[in-house]
Amino acid sequence: MKLKSATLDKKIRNRKALLLQLAEQRGIAGLLHGDAKISFGERFSVRHQLDQAARQKNLETIIELASQQGGDEVGNEPDPDWLSHYLELAENIRHPAMQQFWANILSQEVLNPGHCSIQALSGLRYMTQKDALLLQKASALGCHFGDDNLRLLFGYQYKTLLQGLRQQRLNLGRYRLPYAGLLQLFELGLLHQSELESGELSLTAPLTVELNTHAMTLQPQRKGIRLLYYRFTTIGNELAGLITESTPADYRHDLQDLLAPLGQLSQKNQL
Protein backbone atom coordinates (compact mmCIF):
# COMPACT_ATOMS: atom_id res chain seq x y z
CA MET A 1 0.00 0.00 0.00
CA LYS A 2 2.81 2.43 0.82
CA LEU A 3 4.51 1.70 -2.50
CA LYS A 4 1.29 2.44 -4.35
CA SER A 5 0.81 5.69 -2.43
CA ALA A 6 4.38 6.81 -3.10
CA THR A 7 3.97 6.07 -6.80
CA LEU A 8 0.75 8.09 -6.89
CA ASP A 9 2.42 11.04 -5.13
CA LYS A 10 5.23 10.93 -7.68
CA LYS A 11 2.76 11.00 -10.55
CA ILE A 12 0.98 13.99 -8.98
CA ARG A 13 4.25 15.89 -8.60
CA ASN A 14 5.25 15.05 -12.14
CA ARG A 15 1.90 16.22 -13.45
CA LYS A 16 2.16 19.49 -11.53
CA ALA A 17 5.71 20.01 -12.75
CA LEU A 18 4.56 19.41 -16.31
CA LEU A 19 1.70 21.89 -15.96
CA LEU A 20 4.11 24.45 -14.52
CA GLN A 21 6.50 23.91 -17.40
CA LEU A 22 3.73 24.31 -19.99
CA ALA A 23 2.39 27.40 -18.22
CA GLU A 24 5.84 29.02 -18.16
CA GLN A 25 6.35 28.28 -21.85
CA ARG A 26 3.06 29.98 -22.70
CA GLY A 27 3.40 32.86 -20.25
CA ILE A 28 0.43 31.90 -18.05
CA ALA A 29 2.21 30.86 -14.84
CA GLY A 30 1.66 34.11 -12.93
CA LEU A 31 -0.68 32.79 -10.25
CA LEU A 32 1.39 29.62 -9.91
CA HIS A 33 4.37 31.77 -8.93
CA GLY A 34 2.32 34.16 -6.78
CA ASP A 35 3.37 37.18 -8.83
CA ALA A 36 0.99 39.59 -7.14
CA LYS A 37 3.17 42.62 -7.92
CA ILE A 38 2.90 42.07 -11.67
CA SER A 39 -0.47 43.10 -13.06
CA PHE A 40 -2.55 40.88 -15.31
CA GLY A 41 -2.10 43.47 -18.06
CA GLU A 42 1.67 43.20 -17.82
CA ARG A 43 1.49 39.43 -17.79
CA PHE A 44 -0.73 39.58 -20.88
CA SER A 45 1.95 41.61 -22.64
CA VAL A 46 4.58 39.03 -21.74
CA ARG A 47 2.36 36.18 -22.96
CA HIS A 48 1.65 38.07 -26.18
CA GLN A 49 5.38 38.53 -26.81
CA LEU A 50 6.07 34.85 -26.11
CA ASP A 51 3.25 33.83 -28.43
CA GLN A 52 4.43 36.09 -31.25
CA ALA A 53 8.02 34.88 -30.83
CA ALA A 54 6.84 31.25 -31.00
CA ARG A 55 4.85 31.97 -34.19
CA GLN A 56 7.89 33.61 -35.74
CA LYS A 57 10.06 30.65 -34.80
CA ASN A 58 7.50 28.23 -36.29
CA LEU A 59 7.51 30.05 -39.63
CA GLU A 60 11.27 30.38 -39.81
CA THR A 61 11.69 26.69 -38.97
CA ILE A 62 9.26 25.67 -41.71
CA ILE A 63 10.95 27.95 -44.25
CA GLU A 64 14.35 26.51 -43.33
CA LEU A 65 13.06 22.94 -43.73
CA ALA A 66 11.53 23.81 -47.11
CA SER A 67 14.79 25.37 -48.31
CA GLN A 68 16.66 22.16 -47.52
CA GLN A 69 14.57 20.17 -50.00
CA GLY A 70 15.40 19.59 -53.64
CA GLY A 71 18.23 21.05 -55.64
CA ASP A 72 18.36 23.59 -58.46
CA GLU A 73 14.90 22.95 -59.89
CA VAL A 74 13.18 25.88 -61.57
CA GLY A 75 10.50 27.35 -59.32
CA ASN A 76 7.68 29.86 -59.60
CA GLU A 77 6.26 32.34 -57.12
CA PRO A 78 3.09 31.04 -55.43
CA ASP A 79 -0.13 33.00 -55.64
CA PRO A 80 0.15 35.84 -53.06
CA ASP A 81 -3.28 35.11 -51.57
CA TRP A 82 -2.34 31.45 -51.24
CA LEU A 83 0.94 32.36 -49.57
CA SER A 84 -0.76 34.72 -47.11
CA HIS A 85 -3.24 32.02 -46.16
CA TYR A 86 -0.44 29.47 -45.85
CA LEU A 87 1.63 31.66 -43.54
CA GLU A 88 -1.41 32.50 -41.41
CA LEU A 89 -1.98 28.79 -40.79
CA ALA A 90 1.63 27.60 -40.67
CA GLU A 91 2.63 30.00 -37.92
CA ASN A 92 0.63 27.88 -35.45
CA ILE A 93 2.38 24.59 -36.32
CA ARG A 94 4.70 23.64 -33.47
CA HIS A 95 5.20 19.87 -33.76
CA PRO A 96 8.43 19.04 -35.65
CA ALA A 97 6.81 16.29 -37.76
CA MET A 98 3.96 18.57 -38.79
CA GLN A 99 6.40 21.40 -39.51
CA GLN A 100 8.15 19.04 -41.93
CA PHE A 101 4.82 18.24 -43.55
CA TRP A 102 4.03 21.94 -44.01
CA ALA A 103 7.54 22.50 -45.38
CA ASN A 104 6.88 19.79 -47.97
CA ILE A 105 3.72 21.60 -49.04
CA LEU A 106 5.53 24.91 -49.50
CA SER A 107 8.42 23.29 -51.36
CA GLN A 108 6.05 21.59 -53.81
CA GLU A 109 3.97 24.74 -54.22
CA VAL A 110 7.06 26.73 -55.25
CA LEU A 111 7.85 24.08 -57.85
CA ASN A 112 4.27 23.79 -59.04
CA PRO A 113 1.96 26.68 -58.02
CA GLY A 114 -1.62 25.51 -57.57
CA HIS A 115 -0.53 22.05 -56.45
CA CYS A 116 -2.28 22.51 -53.09
CA SER A 117 -5.53 24.47 -52.88
CA ILE A 118 -6.53 26.90 -50.15
CA GLN A 119 -9.34 24.49 -49.25
CA ALA A 120 -6.79 21.73 -48.67
CA LEU A 121 -4.73 24.05 -46.48
CA SER A 122 -7.81 24.83 -44.42
CA GLY A 123 -8.42 21.11 -44.01
CA LEU A 124 -4.91 20.74 -42.64
CA ARG A 125 -5.48 23.44 -40.04
CA TYR A 126 -7.00 21.14 -37.43
CA MET A 127 -4.99 18.03 -38.25
CA THR A 128 -2.78 16.70 -35.49
CA GLN A 129 0.30 14.57 -35.98
CA LYS A 130 -1.85 11.51 -35.25
CA ASP A 131 -4.28 12.56 -37.99
CA ALA A 132 -1.43 13.07 -40.44
CA LEU A 133 -0.08 9.60 -39.67
CA LEU A 134 -3.51 8.11 -40.34
CA LEU A 135 -3.65 9.90 -43.68
CA GLN A 136 -0.16 8.62 -44.45
CA LYS A 137 -1.24 5.04 -43.74
CA ALA A 138 -4.37 5.44 -45.86
CA SER A 139 -2.38 7.03 -48.69
CA ALA A 140 0.05 4.09 -48.66
CA LEU A 141 -2.89 1.72 -49.23
CA GLY A 142 -4.50 3.93 -51.86
CA CYS A 143 -4.90 2.98 -55.50
CA HIS A 144 -6.42 4.25 -58.73
CA PHE A 145 -8.61 2.37 -61.17
CA GLY A 146 -10.87 3.76 -63.84
CA ASP A 147 -10.10 7.43 -63.08
CA ASP A 148 -7.89 9.74 -61.00
CA ASN A 149 -9.85 9.31 -57.75
CA LEU A 150 -7.82 7.70 -54.97
CA ARG A 151 -9.51 4.68 -53.41
CA LEU A 152 -8.99 2.18 -50.61
CA LEU A 153 -9.68 -1.15 -52.30
CA PHE A 154 -10.58 -3.87 -49.82
CA GLY A 155 -12.73 -6.47 -51.56
CA TYR A 156 -15.15 -7.57 -54.25
CA GLN A 157 -18.58 -9.16 -54.62
CA TYR A 158 -20.53 -11.10 -57.22
CA LYS A 159 -23.84 -12.95 -57.46
CA THR A 160 -24.38 -16.66 -57.99
CA LEU A 161 -27.60 -18.46 -58.85
CA LEU A 162 -27.39 -20.91 -55.98
CA GLN A 163 -25.64 -18.96 -53.21
CA GLY A 164 -26.71 -15.39 -53.96
CA LEU A 165 -24.33 -12.54 -53.18
CA ARG A 166 -20.76 -13.61 -52.41
CA GLN A 167 -18.11 -11.30 -50.97
CA GLN A 168 -14.40 -11.45 -50.23
CA ARG A 169 -12.79 -8.75 -48.09
CA LEU A 170 -9.44 -7.69 -46.70
CA ASN A 171 -9.21 -6.42 -43.14
CA LEU A 172 -7.51 -3.02 -43.45
CA GLY A 173 -6.61 -3.21 -39.77
CA ARG A 174 -3.93 -5.76 -40.71
CA TYR A 175 -2.12 -2.94 -42.51
CA ARG A 176 -2.14 -0.44 -39.61
CA LEU A 177 -5.43 1.18 -40.60
CA PRO A 178 -8.03 0.00 -38.06
CA TYR A 179 -11.70 0.89 -38.30
CA ALA A 180 -11.23 3.56 -35.63
CA GLY A 181 -8.72 5.18 -37.98
CA LEU A 182 -11.24 5.06 -40.82
CA LEU A 183 -13.80 6.77 -38.58
CA GLN A 184 -11.30 9.53 -37.84
CA LEU A 185 -10.63 10.02 -41.56
CA PHE A 186 -14.39 10.19 -42.14
CA GLU A 187 -14.72 12.86 -39.44
CA LEU A 188 -11.85 14.87 -40.91
CA GLY A 189 -13.58 14.86 -44.29
CA LEU A 190 -10.75 12.98 -46.00
CA LEU A 191 -12.71 9.81 -46.84
CA HIS A 192 -16.33 9.39 -47.91
CA GLN A 193 -18.15 7.48 -45.19
CA SER A 194 -19.96 4.95 -47.36
CA GLU A 195 -18.57 1.70 -48.63
CA LEU A 196 -18.84 1.94 -52.41
CA GLU A 197 -18.94 -0.61 -55.19
CA SER A 198 -17.73 -0.28 -58.75
CA GLY A 199 -19.72 -1.05 -61.83
CA GLU A 200 -19.56 -4.61 -63.11
CA LEU A 201 -16.10 -5.39 -64.43
CA SER A 202 -15.97 -5.93 -68.18
CA LEU A 203 -15.06 -9.35 -69.53
CA THR A 204 -13.53 -7.77 -72.64
CA ALA A 205 -11.59 -4.79 -71.23
CA PRO A 206 -8.83 -5.46 -68.67
CA LEU A 207 -8.87 -3.43 -65.45
CA THR A 208 -5.65 -1.84 -64.21
CA VAL A 209 -5.27 -1.14 -60.50
CA GLU A 210 -2.44 1.34 -59.92
CA LEU A 211 -0.74 1.28 -56.52
CA ASN A 212 2.02 3.69 -55.52
CA THR A 213 4.84 1.61 -56.96
CA HIS A 214 3.10 -1.28 -58.74
CA ALA A 215 0.28 -1.86 -61.18
CA MET A 216 -1.95 -4.93 -61.40
CA THR A 217 -3.93 -5.70 -64.54
CA LEU A 218 -6.93 -8.02 -64.20
CA GLN A 219 -8.70 -9.70 -67.09
CA PRO A 220 -11.93 -10.92 -65.42
CA GLN A 221 -13.26 -14.35 -66.33
CA ARG A 222 -16.45 -14.19 -64.27
CA LYS A 223 -19.54 -12.07 -64.88
CA GLY A 224 -20.97 -9.62 -62.38
CA ILE A 225 -17.83 -8.79 -60.37
CA ARG A 226 -17.91 -5.47 -58.51
CA LEU A 227 -14.99 -4.08 -56.50
CA LEU A 228 -15.56 -2.75 -52.97
CA TYR A 229 -13.73 0.36 -51.80
CA TYR A 230 -13.71 3.62 -49.85
CA ARG A 231 -13.16 6.79 -51.89
CA PHE A 232 -11.06 9.75 -50.83
CA THR A 233 -12.78 13.15 -50.87
CA THR A 234 -11.47 15.97 -53.07
CA ILE A 235 -9.44 17.38 -50.17
CA GLY A 236 -8.33 13.88 -49.15
CA ASN A 237 -7.05 13.31 -52.68
CA GLU A 238 -5.07 16.55 -52.57
CA LEU A 239 -3.52 15.95 -49.18
CA ALA A 240 -2.71 12.31 -49.92
CA GLY A 241 -0.94 13.52 -53.05
CA LEU A 242 1.45 15.49 -50.84
CA ILE A 243 2.61 12.31 -49.11
CA THR A 244 5.15 9.92 -50.61
CA GLU A 245 4.68 6.49 -49.11
CA SER A 246 5.32 3.04 -50.56
CA THR A 247 2.55 0.46 -50.63
CA PRO A 248 3.09 -2.07 -47.80
CA ALA A 249 4.34 -5.33 -49.27
CA ASP A 250 1.88 -7.42 -47.24
CA TYR A 251 -1.09 -5.41 -48.52
CA ARG A 252 0.12 -5.69 -52.11
CA HIS A 253 0.57 -9.45 -51.78
CA ASP A 254 -2.82 -9.92 -50.09
CA LEU A 255 -4.49 -7.79 -52.76
CA GLN A 256 -2.88 -9.94 -55.41
CA ASP A 257 -4.17 -13.10 -53.70
CA LEU A 258 -7.62 -11.49 -53.43
CA LEU A 259 -7.89 -10.64 -57.13
CA ALA A 260 -6.09 -13.65 -58.64
CA PRO A 261 -9.10 -16.05 -58.52
CA LEU A 262 -11.17 -13.58 -60.57
CA GLY A 263 -9.22 -14.05 -63.79
CA GLN A 264 -5.82 -13.50 -65.36
CA LEU A 265 -3.71 -11.16 -63.20
CA SER A 266 -0.44 -9.60 -64.21
CA GLN A 267 1.80 -7.15 -62.32
CA LYS A 268 4.22 -4.41 -63.29
CA ASN A 269 6.67 -2.44 -61.20
CA GLN A 270 6.15 1.27 -61.89
CA LEU A 271 9.47 2.48 -60.43
Side-chain angles (χ1 to χ4, degrees), residues 146-157:
D147 55 35
D148 292 332
N149 287 312
L150 190 62
R151 297 172 167 88
L152 285 178
L153 177 59
F154 62 85
Y156 65 84
Q157 66 182 28

Side-chain angles (χ1 to χ4, degrees), residues 5-207:
S5 177
T7 303
L8 182 59
D9 289 342
K10 183 177 180 181
K11 289 183 178 180
I12 292 174
R13 285 197 300 271
N14 287 341
R15 184 166 63 248
K16 289 182 177 180
L18 178 58
L19 287 172
L20 176 60
Q21 178 185 348
L22 294 175
E24 289 175 341
Q25 290 173 350
R26 301 300 178 104
I28 51 176
L31 291 178
L32 296 179
H33 289 307
D35 296 334
K37 295 181 180 180
I38 303 177
S39 69
F40 284 106
E42 291 172 317
R43 297 208 288 266
F44 171 79
S45 297
V46 171
R47 180 171 66 83
H48 184 69
Q49 291 175 5
L50 288 173
D51 186 59
Q52 292 302 311
R55 292 169 187 264
Q56 183 70 17
K57 180 181 178 182
N58 294 339
L59 286 177
E60 291 189 17
T61 300
I62 291 171
I63 294 297
E64 181 184 22
L65 291 170
S67 70
Q68 294 171 354
Q69 299 184 17
D72 298 326
E73 301 94 340
V74 176
N76 293 281
E77 185 175 346
D79 178 84
D81 291 333
W82 183 94
L83 185 58
S84 295
H85 192 71
Y86 173 90
L87 294 175
E88 180 183 348
L89 298 177
E91 68 179 4
N92 294 303
I93 305 302
R94 295 174 180 252
H95 195 286
M98 293 302 291
Q99 288 177 339
Q100 183 65 66
F101 188 34
W102 280 78
N104 295 345
I105 294 173
L106 180 59
S107 179
Q108 293 186 44
E109 189 68 20
V110 170
L111 288 175
N112 183 20
H115 183 75
C116 180
S117 68
I118 288 180
Q119 291 79 5
L121 286 179
S122 298
L124 274 172
R125 182 173 189 172
Y126 300 108
M127 283 183 62
T128 64
Q129 183 201 16
K130 182 179 179 180
D131 297 332
L133 287 174
L134 278 175
L135 178 60
Q136 185 179 38
K137 294 174 184 177
S139 175
L141 301 179
C143 68
H144 298 89
F145 58 85
D147 55 35
D148 292 332
N149 287 312
L150 190 62
R151 297 172 167 88
L152 285 178
L153 177 59
F154 62 85
Y156 65 84
Q157 66 182 28
Y158 61 89
K159 291 182 179 179
T160 65
L161 291 176
L162 297 178
Q163 297 175 314
L165 188 65
R166 301 285 305 274
Q167 288 190 350
Q168 292 291 334
R169 293 172 173 251
L170 297 178
N171 178 8
L172 295 179
R174 291 188 56 190
Y175 320 106
R176 302 185 303 149
L177 188 61
Y179 189 68
L182 291 175
L183 292 178
Q184 182 67 11
L185 293 172
F186 297 155
E187 186 174 342
L188 289 168
L190 303 177
L191 277 182
H192 291 288
Q193 296 190 23
S194 302
E195 291 186 2
L196 301 175
E197 61 180 52
S198 69
E200 291 189 5
L201 302 189
S202 171
L203 294 179
T204 57
L207 175 76

Side-chain angles (χ1 to χ4, degrees), residues 200-206 218-225 262-263:
E200 291 189 5
L201 302 189
S202 171
L203 294 179
T204 57
L218 174 67
Q219 178 63 66
Q221 296 179 342
R222 178 193 295 272
K223 292 183 178 180
I225 299 171
L262 301 178

